[in-house]
Amino acid sequence: MLKDDILRLKKETKTIILAHNYVESDVQDIADFCGDSLELSRKAKDCDASNIVFCGVRFMGETAKLLSPKARVIMPAANAGCPMAEMCQADALRAWKADNPDAYIVAYVNTTAATKALVDICVTSGNAERIVTKLDTNRPIMFLPDQNLGANLNRKLGIHMMLWNGYCHTHNHISTNDIQQAKVLHPDSPVIVHLECKPEVVEIADAALSTAGMITYVRNSSAKSFIIGTEEGMIYRLKTLFPDRSFYGLPHPILCPNMKRITLPLVYDALLGKGLEIQLPEEIMQRAVLPIERMLEMS
Ligand code: SF4
């Protein structure tokens, strides 16, 4: 069986497989570790593996490479990118900085390494609130690239960060109507949505969290069932962790097509070195790791 072959090859090649919570269930099953961006960043930093197969989108593989520069980081699906990360290109940010030299730049970790090389600090959806609250700056703050996450932080913290005009197609697509319909179908289930959803969606949900935050929420809740407003892979992850609870999706499937590009046959090929190896110019490596390290120190 392919799964057995993958597990054997993983051992033989001394490879660690990291997988984001949004990848297909069979890929989650063979991973050494599943998690959100923050958890995977920490794992990449702490593991001393010489080979990492990263089942996620490209910016995540780049982050793993920045934190574990000696490791060979292979992406199983060369074309798995994050459209939101592509919405803030380094050239556009460089031009913006030239016009706004005083701005302090907070970047969601969903950014390319080239863009990270131009920012002051990174955040994930799991630590953004904590880090933005602690920032000690009188400078105007630009939050990029996710305008929804930025707007949700502005509203919750009563602050006025400038927002880049990026967004995640997958989460931006979720409407208040979807939430209302799901509530009618499952009236006793709290609604948990991702912080990348629009502010009006967050407003009518019971909680807006990162995927790791969703796991903690469920663990600490006495509810028996939950409505989950994020990519469907998370529903599988929650069902695996909490088999005695029920998890419902929204009336239409919430899918990230890029995460779904990662399949077991591609993971097998990646273990043979056939995927896309992340390689970054040295000057980008040196500069882009700084805002991530700042984030890890503060989170
Ligand atoms: S779910 Fe959205 S933010 Fe996450 S990788 Fe897919 S497109 Fe990017």
Side-chain angles (χ1 to χ4, degrees):
M1 255 180 71
L2 187 54
K3 273 190 184 178
D4 296 331
D5 290 342
I6 288 174
L7 296 177
R8 178 185 46 78
L9 204 51
K10 183 164 71 99
K11 239 187 221 165
E12 282 173 16
T13 56
K14 297 192 173 59
T15 301
I16 183 166
I17 300 182
L18 302 180
H20 192 269
N21 290 324
Y22 292 162
V23 297
E24 292 283 10
S25 53
D26 53 1
V27 176
Q28 292 190 27
D29 289 345
I30 50 84
D32 291 291
F33 186 80
C34 288
D36 70 357
S37 295
L38 177 59
E39 292 169 320
L40 295 174
S41 302
R42 284 215 171 99
K43 260 308 183 239
K45 188 173 165 57
D46 296 343
C47 79
D48 55 0
S50 45
N51 297 305
I52 299 174
V53 166
F54 204 113
C55 302
V57 293
R58 189 184 161 99
F59 79 80
M60 296 176 179
E62 289 185 348
T63 306
K65 181 72 184 171
L66 292 170
L67 290 170
S68 196
K70 292 197 178 123
R72 192 159 178 246
V73 179
I74 308 274
M75 310 300 290
N79 58 351
C82 170
M84 174 158 69
E86 300 301 324
M87 288 176 192
C88 184
Q89 297 290 339
D91 283 349
L93 180 56
R94 212 173 279 114
W96 188 88
K97 281 179 68 162
D99 291 340
N100 300 271
D102 294 339
Y104 185 92
I105 301 181
V106 180
Y108 192 20
V109 74
N110 298 36
T111 39
T112 65
T115 294
K116 284 186 179 78
L118 300 171
V119 311
D120 293 294
I121 193 164
C122 284
V123 297
T124 68
S125 51
N127 62 23
E129 184 181 330
R130 196 161 54 246
I131 288 182
V132 169
T133 309
K134 281 197 220 161
L135 287 181
D136 185 18
T137 176
N138 293 324
R139 292 156 61 189
I141 299 175
M142 161 55 88
F143 185 90
L144 60 84
D146 187 4
Q147 59 186 355
N148 287 337
L149 176 56
N152 287 323
L153 288 167
N154 274 348
R155 205 174 54 168
K156 179 143 192 212
L157 301 174
I159 57 175
H160 302 281
M161 297 186 292
M162 293 176 276
L163 306 177
W164 200 264
N165 61 355
Y167 58 89
C168 162
H169 290 283
T170 304
H171 289 96
N172 202 53
H173 192 52
I174 296 174
S175 68
T176 52
N177 196 28
D178 295 334
I179 305 295
Q180 280 150 357
Q181 278 187 43
K183 277 183 168 180
V184 170
L185 289 171
H186 311 290
D188 297 328
S189 309
V191 180
I192 317 172
V193 299
H194 197 276
L195 279 158
E196 289 171 15
C197 291
K198 290 177 186 158
E200 60 265 34
V201 169
V202 166
E203 196 174 356
I204 61 168
D206 294 286
L209 298 161
S210 65
T211 53
M214 291 180 187
I215 292 171
T216 306
Y217 182 96
V218 171
R219 186 170 288 125
N220 295 335
S221 169
S222 57
K224 293 274 171 277
S225 60
F226 304 83
I227 298 165
I228 303 299
T230 190
E231 217 279 349
E232 283 196 359
M234 190 59 199
I235 296 181
Y236 177 75
R237 176 101 173 105
L238 288 164
K239 282 181 175 167
T240 307
L241 290 170
F242 305 102
D244 55 332
R245 319 269 190 112
S246 301
F247 299 94
Y248 305 113
L250 297 179
H252 58 88
I254 308 299
L255 295 167
C256 173
N258 285 280
M259 290 286 189
K260 287 338 191 207
R261 289 193 168 128
I262 301 144
T263 60
L264 278 188
L266 289 180
V267 173
Y268 181 80
D269 285 351
L271 285 164
L272 295 172
K274 288 189 196 158
L276 171 78
E277 181 175 353
I278 298 288
Q279 283 172 325
L280 297 167
E282 192 51 40
E283 68 272 20
I284 298 274
M285 292 276 292
Q286 283 181 13
R287 180 61 185 85
V289 75
L290 301 177
I292 303 172
E293 283 177 342
R294 245 169 249 145
M295 169 185 82
L296 293 174
E297 277 161 25
M298 285 180 76
S299 56

